Amino acid sequence: MSQSPAPILITGASQRVGLHCARRLLDDGQPLIVSYRTERPALDELRERGALTLAADFSGEAGILDFVGRLKQHTERLRAIVHNASDWLREEPGREAEAFTRMVSVHMLAPYLINLHCRELLERSAPADIVHITDDVVRRGSANRVAYCASKAGLENMTLSFAAQFAPHIKVNAIAPALVMFHDHDDVAYREKTLAKSVLGIEPGPDVVYQSLRYLLDNPYVTGTSLCVNGGRHVR
Ligand SMILES: NC(=O)C1=CN([C@@H]2O[C@H](COP(=O)(O)OP(=O)(O)OC[C@H]3O[C@@H](n4cnc5c(N)ncnc54)[C@H](OP(=O)(O)O)[C@@H]3O)[C@@H](O)[C@H]2O)C=CC1
Ligand SMILES: Nc1nc2c(c(=O)[nH]1)N=C([C@H](O)[C@@H](O)CO)CN2
C-alpha cells in the first residue's frame, strides 16, 4: 500500500518568504512542517490548513538539537528540508563577536546539524531534497554585513559538500536571491538605490523563491547547484 506523501520542513516560515513558500506548498497539497521563533498570526492560518508548526531557536547547538528531537517525535520521514531561517544582522560596535556567533549559528550550524541528524528521515522518502537559501551577496561580499555574508558563503559552500555526501538519494541545492521583498520601514531612497543595483530593477516578491524551490523539487537531475535569482545584478 502506498504511503501518504512525506512532509516538507521549512525553517523560519512565520513571515515573508518562508510564509509565502509555506502557503504555496500547502496550495500544492504538500504536507508541511514549519519552524518559527516568534508566534505570529499567520501561523494560525498555516495550522488551520494542516501544517505542523514547531518552535525553534537556532542561536546555539542546544536549541538546534532540541528542535531536531521534537521534529523526530512528529515524523519519521521528510520529502525535503528548506533552510530559510535567517537573521540579517549588521555589526554593532562592541557586539561584533555576538553578531558573528549568531550568524554562524543560524546560517551554518543549524543547517549543518539538521542535515546530518535528519539524513535518515530524508532517505526514507527518497528521492529527497535539501535547499539552502543563501544570498547573491556571497558573490561579492558586503561592507555593511561582514558576518552575515560570511555565514551565507559558508552555507553556499556546504551545498557542494552535502551534495557529494548525500547523493544519490538526496539532492542538495541552493537558491541565492538578491532583493526579493523590501521591509515596510525601507524608505524611498533605499528602495531606489537597491532597485538600481540590478538590470531588471524590480522588487519581484517572494514567489520567485517559491518558483525556484519548485524547480529544484521537481528536477531529478540537479544537485550541487546554486540558483542565482538576482535580477541580473551580476551583469551590471
Ligand atoms: N528578503 C530578501 O529580499 C532576501 C532574502 N534572502 C534570504 O531569503 C530567506 C528569506 O528571507 P526573509 O523572508 O526576508 O527572511 P526573514 O528576515 O523574514 O527571516 C526569516 C525567519 O527566520 C527566523 N529566524 C531568524 N533568526 C532565527 C534563529 N536564530 N532561530 C530560528 N529562527 C530564526 C525568523 O523567525 P521569527 O520571525 O519567527 O523570529 C524569521 O521569520 C532568508 O534566508 C534570507 O537571508 C536573501 C536575499 C534577499
Ligand atoms: N534574513 C534576511 N536576509 C536578508 C534580507 C531580509 O530581510 N532578511 N533582506 C535582504 C535585502 O533585501 C537585500 O537583498 C537588498 O537590500 C538580504 N538578506
Side-chain angles (χ1 to χ4, degrees), residues 163-228:
Q165 185 180 119
F166 283 11
H169 301 302
I170 303 166
K171 298 184 277 116
V172 185
N173 292 288
I175 298 170
L179 168 71
V180 172
M181 54 194 302
F182 287 113
H183 290 266
D184 293 343
H185 61 256
D186 290 330
D187 62 24
V188 171
Y190 174 80
R191 291 170 188 251
E192 288 176 351
K193 183 186 74 171
T194 304
L195 292 172
K197 290 181 179 178
S198 78
V199 290
L200 296 183
I202 61 166
E203 176 194 17
D207 208 53
V208 295
V209 176
Y210 169 75
Q211 291 167 23
S212 305
L213 173 60
R214 192 72 264 165
Y215 163 78
L216 292 171
L217 293 172
D218 294 345
N219 193 308
Y221 198 52
V222 176
T223 196
T225 294
S226 179
L227 297 186
C228 175

Side-chain angles (χ1 to χ4, degrees), residues 136 139-140 196-201 228 230-236:
D136 177 64
R139 218 172 15 87
R140 54 183 169 72
K197 290 181 179 178
S198 78
V199 290
L200 296 183
C228 175
N230 72 355
R233 282 194 178 197
H234 58 291
V235 301
R236 276 199 66 77

Side-chain angles (χ1 to χ4, degrees), residues 82-96:
V82 183
H83 292 290
N84 170 78
S86 170
D87 238 339
W88 196 36
L89 287 187
R90 281 180 183 273
E91 281 80 10
E92 290 177 34
R95 301 182 67 181
E96 295 86 351

Side-chain angles (χ1 to χ4, degrees), residues 106-159:
V106 66
H107 296 147
M108 292 181 67
L109 186 60
Y112 174 77
L113 291 177
I114 292 169
N115 289 351
L116 291 173
H117 286 273
C118 293
R119 176 177 186 171
E120 198 175 329
L121 282 70
L122 292 161
E123 296 275 3
R124 290 192 191 117
S125 80
D129 287 88
I130 293 170
V131 179
H132 298 154
I133 310 292
T134 61
D135 189 319
D136 177 64
V137 77
V138 165
R139 218 172 15 87
R140 54 183 169 72
S142 170
N144 299 324
R145 289 177 171 82
V146 176
Y148 167 86
C149 189
S151 62
K152 286 285 190 175
L155 180 57
E156 185 86 14
N157 181 263
M158 285 198 292
T159 306

Side-chain angles (χ1 to χ4, degrees), residues 48-88:
E48 285 159 17
R49 296 187 64 185
L52 171 65
T53 62
L54 296 176
D57 186 340
F58 299 143
S59 57
E61 179 186 358
I64 297 163
L65 295 181
D66 172 68
F67 166 74
V68 171
R70 285 183 286 112
L71 172 70
K72 290 184 174 180
Q73 290 171 359
H74 291 279
T75 187
E76 294 179 347
R77 298 180 302 139
L78 284 172
R79 166 63 185 80
I81 301 173
V82 183
H83 292 290
N84 170 78
S86 170
D87 238 339
W88 196 36

